[in-house]
Amino acid sequence: METMTNETNELKSEFLRLLPCQRSAEVLVKNCLLFLLVSNLLITGAVETNEAAEFRSRFFRVLLSRRLGQVPLVAECSKPVEDPVFQSDVPSTAALESCPKEPIENLKDMLKEENIHLHTEAGEQRRLPLLILSLKEKKREERRPAVVFMHGTNANKEWLRPWLEAYASRGYVAIGLDSRYHGERADSKTAYQDALISSWKNGNTMPFIFDTVWDLIKLADYLTQREDIDPQRIGITGISLGGMHAWFAAAIDTRYSVAAPLIGVQGFRWAIDNDAWQARVNSLKPVFEEARNDMGKSEIDKEVVKKVWDRIAPGLAFRLDAPYSLPVIAPRPLYLLNGAEDPRCPLGGLVVPLQKTKKAYKITASPGNFKFVAEDGVGHTVTSFMIKESSDWFDKFLKQGNMSSE
């Protein structure tokens, strides 16, 4: 794979310098899309399709509609978190600990750890906490591939450590982060649920998926500037809510060149239309109960569900849903891993999205870059199989530096 030219790096630097100064949302959207269009051409060698360009324009407008103000991209050193906040019982790390790793003696001593706060916008959630692990360099080396890891609901970046260590042992720069109202960004055990209710009441934030996607765009700005990371070999993965973050980040930002969302991809509109929304709603019950009460209903029904999605994540159950957002990731490598019995991500909701996505990869002459597996007998649980499969996927496309599957 060819490296970015000096001219392209200069263009990127100028773009990043001007971005915080934009006053017009219209100008900001155009500039963001222009840069991502160039990035897509550099990473994949493919020209953006009309459908992809229209999707990204639509999604950018949604994201920008509730931004609290642009700020310069600043990275500050922070301290390790000694007592990370979990907003529910601590999930098992057994699957994460099964991730393939190199048999390095005294691995923890060989790892470089960085704790960073990245400023992504104004407001109380302005700092994006990062935990970055990589092997200590004994001499100057070539830029490395990187993978961003996203935790699930109520967890945090510290929970991801076994996963990060495994990838770092294999030569990756491994990045974990706290999504909005989680980890260092949570001030209570109910911070995330409180934020969802506030979004329903006030309509000024998007704590469910979209605000963290904005953070991931800014994170890509930062990662592509680091001297130790190859800007053309940045992958993203995540579990459950983190899988949704990975899915939508890859859809809007082509700098995420390989993606592997775990137990996160689903059809939100399909679930409403087919009365299969209950399991997903129950995972976020307080905001739906608040909406039910505000709407004067005796129970949560599909009208309540649609109203909540439209309010807290505009377009999620319409033109930003899986049938529209998955195909635009083509031709970049994408591996979707779900449980066949997962009630939060019912397979019926993926029939049409999968058909459209397979077609998109065929049109872009990259059918081997897309894969979907629903693991038999598995519900809403990440498994060692999923961790191993996604690990092999990243090795195939990032370690070898090959964006095309034979």
Side-chain angles (χ1 to χ4, degrees), residues 15 76 82 95 99 149 202 226 230 254 258 347 350 358:
F15 172 83
E76 297 177 338
E82 296 182 358
C99 186
F149 299 84
N202 302 308
R226 284 179 59 117
D230 183 342
T254 57
V258 182
L347 294 184
L350 293 180
K358 289 176 182 177

Side-chain angles (χ1 to χ4, degrees), residues 143-310:
R143 295 186 178 217
R144 306 177 189 183
V147 177
V148 175
F149 299 84
M150 306 298 299
H151 61 76
T153 302
N154 298 329
N156 50 60
K157 64 185 183 302
E158 283 71 30
W159 179 76
L160 297 167
R161 183 177 286 274
W163 212 5
L164 304 181
E165 290 180 354
Y167 273 74
S169 78
R170 305 199 325 261
Y172 288 91
V173 178
I175 303 103
L177 60 112
D178 289 327
S179 62
R180 296 281 177 123
Y181 302 96
H182 286 78
E184 291 185 67
R185 308 169 96 176
D187 58 7
S188 72
K189 292 282 190 177
T190 60
Y192 181 51
Q193 298 293 349
D194 293 344
L196 294 173
I197 292 173
S198 176
S199 178
W200 162 256
K201 293 286 191 182
N202 302 308
N204 59 351
T205 59
M206 295 179 286
F208 186 63
I209 305 176
F210 290 173
D211 282 343
T212 296
V213 170
W214 175 262
D215 290 336
L216 289 167
I217 293 172
K218 305 301 286 185
L219 176 61
D221 291 345
Y222 169 68
L223 296 179
T224 53
Q225 294 181 63
R226 284 179 59 117
E227 293 184 354
D228 60 339
I229 291 177
D230 183 342
Q232 294 177 289
R233 291 191 292 159
I234 301 175
I236 188 166
T237 186
I239 298 169
S240 190
L241 174 62
M244 296 183 228
H245 290 145
W247 154 25
F248 280 100
I252 197 170
D253 197 329
T254 57
R255 292 172 294 180
Y256 292 108
S257 57
V258 182
L262 311 182
I263 61 171
V265 176
Q266 60 208 269
F268 286 91
R269 183 64 196 218
W270 181 92
I272 293 172
D273 292 341
N274 291 272
D275 196 34
W277 46 262
Q278 291 81 357
R280 171 57 58 200
V281 166
N282 285 339
S283 70
L284 305 168
K285 195 69 170 288
V287 66
F288 288 94
E289 285 291 355
E290 193 76 17
R292 174 199 62 75
N293 184 63
D294 290 347
M295 293 172 67
K297 289 180 172 283
S298 60
E299 60 182 20
I300 298 171
D301 58 19
K302 70 178 186 178
E303 181 185 5
V304 172
V305 176
K306 183 179 183 304
K307 287 282 188 182
V308 170
W309 291 146
D310 290 346

Side-chain angles (χ1 to χ4, degrees), residues 66-122:
R66 299 186 189 179
R67 300 276 58 84
L68 297 176
Q70 297 294 313
V71 298
L73 188 68
V74 176
E76 297 177 338
C77 292
S78 59
K79 297 180 179 179
V81 177
E82 296 182 358
D83 186 21
V85 174
F86 289 89
Q87 297 180 51
S88 62
D89 294 339
V90 179
S92 169
T93 58
L96 305 187
E97 291 168 359
S98 73
C99 186
K101 66 177 67 173
E102 286 295 316
I104 299 175
E105 187 176 354
N106 300 321
L107 174 61
K108 293 185 185 297
D109 294 333
M110 298 298 295
L111 292 176
K112 174 185 176 182
E113 176 174 330
E114 300 172 74
N115 292 275
I116 293 172
H117 285 168
L118 189 68
H119 290 240
T120 63
E121 67 174 343

Side-chain angles (χ1 to χ4, degrees), residues 14 19-20 24 117 175-176 202 214 252 276 312 373 390 396 398:
E14 181 67 9
L19 182 58
S24 164
H117 285 168
I175 303 103
N202 302 308
W214 175 262
I252 197 170
I312 71 174
V373 169
S390 55
K396 178 178 182 179
L398 293 181

